[in-house]
Amino acid sequence: MSVKAKYQAVLSLGEQLGIKDGNVIEEGGVLKIKGVANTPYEKDLIWDKIKELGGENASDVKANISVADDSVYHRHVVKGGESLSKIAKHYYGDAMKYKQIFSANTNILSNPDVIHPDQVLVIPNA
C-alpha cells in the first residue's frame, strides 16, 4: 500500500473541508501535505485523522497546515435540534462551556436557551 493510499482519508477530509492551497507530494515513502485550513478546529480535524491513521508519531507523513483565521476556534452553523450545551460538548468536550459560546455571540443571541437553525455562531478559542 502506498503512503498516499494509507492517508487517503486525510486527503478526502481536506477536500471536504475546503483546505486552500493544498499540495500533496509523495517522496521516498513520506507523504508531504501542505495547505491552509479555515479555522483551528479544521486544522485539529486534519491532525486527528493523521493520528488515527498513522499513530501519534507517524514517520511516513509530514503535514504543514496553517490557519486562515485564528481569531476564533470555528464558526458553527446551527442545525435543528441543537443547543448551546450540545455545541459546547462537541467542540470542547464540556457542555457547561456553553456560556463561553453565548458570551461570544451576544451580538446575535439574547438568551442562551434560544438559538435557531442556520445561525452562524462564533466558537471562541478555549
Side-chain angles (χ1 to χ4, degrees):
M1 170 190 288
S2 75
V3 181
K4 190 170 184 179
K6 176 181 176 181
Y7 290 101
Q8 185 57 49
V10 173
L11 304 178
S12 297
L13 178 59
E15 287 177 10
Q16 179 186 341
L17 294 173
I19 300 297
K20 297 174 188 73
D21 302 324
N23 188 17
V24 178
I25 300 169
E26 189 171 346
E27 286 181 348
V30 176
L31 189 65
K32 297 179 180 181
I33 304 170
K34 183 179 178 193
V36 180
N38 291 312
T39 63
Y41 172 72
E42 291 180 357
K43 179 180 178 177
D44 288 350
L45 287 177
I46 295 287
W47 277 109
D48 289 347
K49 184 59 78 174
I50 289 171
K51 291 174 188 175
E52 176 187 321
L53 298 172
E56 200 66 36
N57 295 308
S59 60
D60 57 354
V61 64
K62 291 184 180 181
N64 180 6
I65 308 296
S66 56
V67 175
D69 179 6
D70 62 2
S71 67
V72 300
Y73 186 57
H74 195 57
R75 296 182 194 285
H76 178 84
V77 179
V78 176
K79 296 170 199 69
E82 287 186 319
S83 64
L84 288 184
S85 59
K86 183 177 179 179
I87 295 167
K89 177 79 172 165
H90 173 78
Y91 289 103
Y92 303 127
D94 182 353
M96 292 308 293
K97 289 193 175 185
Y98 78 89
K99 297 170 191 171
Q100 289 178 268
I101 298 172
F102 177 70
S103 294
N105 291 280
T106 55
N107 60 324
I108 60 170
L109 301 177
S110 57
N111 181 336
D113 296 324
V114 180
I115 60 174
H116 302 284
D118 299 323
Q119 282 180 310
V120 179
L121 302 178
V122 167
I123 307 301
N125 291 308

